[in-house]
Amino acid sequence: MSTMRQDVSLLRRRYTGESVQQARRAIDLLDPEAPPIPTAITGDQEFLEARVLVSLLEFRNHYTRYPLGIATVYPEPDGIVLRVESEERAAEILFNLLPTYVSDHEVHGVPGLRITQRDQTAVELRVLGAPTRLRLTGLPATHWRNAVARMIGNWIDPNPKLLCWQSSPNAWTDAERAHHARWEDVNDEFTQKQRRGAWLGSGLLRRVALLHTVSNTFFVDGYHGGGDTARLVLRSSHVRGEGPGPHNIVAALAHPVFGLPLCLKRFRGDTDESLGGDQQFVLGDQGKTAILDLRAESERPDSRLEPELWQAILGRLPESGFMERLSPGVLAGLCGLGAA
């Protein structure tokens, strides 16, 4: 392997969590002019990935070894593969993605999403009628079956007729169509705004390993924010005094080749992370289509986190950050008058 290819592979794996060999094979399969972390080639795929990321952020019911329960991401031009940490997390993800009729044409989950393929270590999900693909892997087949059963058991009334993905595996249900027409009309101004900014959620999902490869993050949640621009709020918890802090996530996202087209708009907090203060990084693109609001707290875990899991988290903390030259002070300076 040439030195340049080795460097590219090592850098890519910091964003994806892949092994060097996996990163090298993935890069070899890309067109020579393609970026080392490919973007989704269709707007529908991009929109689906943005929804998956928000689902991972919004519905956190237990701690995991990795911040979002995703150990590795394999970004592909026509789809994405996520290696899930555990059966429990897999059930949680499926519960919040697969569509279920709730009431009055309201649907919980992604309308039209179905499990379309199962194999020994993975399940594949697609939106019927759209060229979109999400593959969840990392568990043996028996664990995926257990995850599905656990997911169904989490519903108060697991009536098969209300589980759209189960009652109608090959077609959208009337409830899904009604929900989609009401809340996801492509002519609706809000929907258009979310689709314009979907590149941010998709791009973050394709780089989600950054949360645990360059920073001492142990928990992340978040939500869609309001306003005239698609806004994504990430709230991250970091181990105080151990390993590189959250500014390394921002530094990695600012990388001109592997990062995203974001620039730091505002920084608030103490630039010295060794003091353990909270930090807020607000980033946006020049086209003003999306805003990333990263709110980082340096803290200890609460009582819900079992000691054994906490030790596993401490054991996987990275020893070094992303780029030493992009310290919190330098990042704050990039804000100009916006820093506070």
Side-chain angles (χ1 to χ4, degrees):
M1 183 189 300
S2 68
T3 301
M4 181 176 294
R5 290 176 67 195
Q6 174 79 2
D7 290 345
V8 171
S9 300
L10 289 173
L11 196 51
R12 170 171 160 137
R13 70 187 298 264
R14 305 202 76 178
Y15 289 81
T16 63
E18 300 165 297
S19 67
V20 176
Q21 292 77 15
Q22 289 169 332
R24 179 187 176 185
R25 286 196 298 268
I27 292 172
D28 287 343
L29 292 174
L30 295 173
D31 293 333
E33 302 300 319
I37 298 179
T39 58
I41 60 176
T42 68
D44 286 337
Q45 180 70 35
E46 191 175 70
F47 190 53
L48 172 64
E49 292 177 14
R51 296 189 66 170
V52 170
L53 178 69
V54 171
S55 177
L56 292 174
L57 292 169
E58 287 187 335
F59 303 103
R60 301 303 315 279
N61 295 318
H62 62 275
Y63 284 98
T64 51
R65 181 181 178 188
Y66 300 95
L68 286 175
I70 303 299
T72 310
V73 56
Y74 307 96
E76 301 169 348
D78 60 346
I80 192 166
V81 182
L82 304 177
R83 185 160 69 86
V84 182
E85 174 182 326
S86 66
E87 179 184 308
E88 186 178 18
R89 186 59 172 141
E92 191 176 52
I93 292 171
L94 293 174
F95 181 88
N96 291 299
L97 287 179
L98 290 172
T100 302
Y101 178 69
V102 182
S103 64
D104 191 25
H105 302 297
E106 289 293 323
V107 171
H108 172 88
V110 179
L113 190 68
R114 302 291 189 270
I115 297 177
T116 56
Q117 184 176 333
R118 305 170 190 249
D119 60 32
Q120 291 186 346
T121 61
V123 296
E124 185 167 288
L125 297 88
R126 293 177 179 265
V127 175
L128 299 176
T132 60
R133 182 170 62 88
L134 168 67
R135 188 171 174 83
L136 303 175
T137 187
L139 303 173
T142 54
H143 287 216
W144 283 113
R145 288 195 294 270
N146 293 340
V148 171
R150 182 195 294 247
M151 177 262 293
I152 294 175
N154 286 336
W155 286 102
I156 296 176
D157 180 16
N159 186 335
K161 292 183 179 180
L162 302 181
L163 305 179
C164 305
W165 60 274
Q166 191 176 56
S167 64
S168 182
N170 299 315
W172 287 49
T173 63
D174 291 340
E176 288 175 290
R177 295 191 192 94
H179 180 97
H180 189 270
R182 181 178 181 183
W183 299 109
E184 300 179 22
D185 182 358
V186 294
N187 297 316
D188 180 75
E189 183 177 351
F190 177 79
T191 301
Q192 291 176 353
K193 178 180 69 175
Q194 295 304 315
R195 282 188 170 270
R196 282 195 300 269
W199 63 268
L200 175 59
S202 173
L204 287 173
L205 185 66
R206 289 168 174 255
R207 295 161 175 79
V208 75
L210 279 177
L211 296 173
H212 63 262
T213 63
V214 306
S215 176
N216 56 3
T217 316
F218 68 87
F219 187 82
V220 176
D221 66 4
Y223 55 91
H224 266 314
D228 297 330
T229 304
R231 188 182 189 92
L232 186 61
V233 179
L234 268 66
R235 300 177 300 199
S236 59
S237 298
H238 300 265
V239 184
R240 178 172 295 176
E242 293 195 45
H247 79 279
N248 290 276
I249 298 173
V250 180
L253 291 176
H255 191 278
V257 177
F258 284 83
L260 294 171
L262 294 167
C263 56
L264 193 60
K265 301 292 187 180
R266 188 176 65 192
F267 171 85
R268 289 182 178 178
D270 200 310
T271 57
D272 187 351
E273 291 185 337
S274 65
L275 299 178
D278 297 345
Q279 297 177 316
Q280 180 186 24
F281 304 88
V282 179
L283 302 98
D285 65 312
Q286 290 187 346
K288 298 182 178 180
T289 63
I291 294 173
L292 174 62
D293 185 347
L294 174 61
R295 304 173 186 180
E297 297 183 2
S298 179
E299 59 184 354
R300 297 287 296 182
D302 64 28
S303 58
R304 292 179 299 163
L305 205 163
E306 297 178 356
E308 296 80 6
L309 180 55
W310 179 240
Q311 290 303 314
I313 291 172
L314 293 178
R316 62 98 180 127
L317 291 182
E319 295 181 359
S320 61
F322 188 75
M323 298 177 73
E324 293 295 332
R325 62 184 179 83
L326 286 178
S327 66
V330 173
L331 291 171
L334 293 177
C335 300
L337 297 177

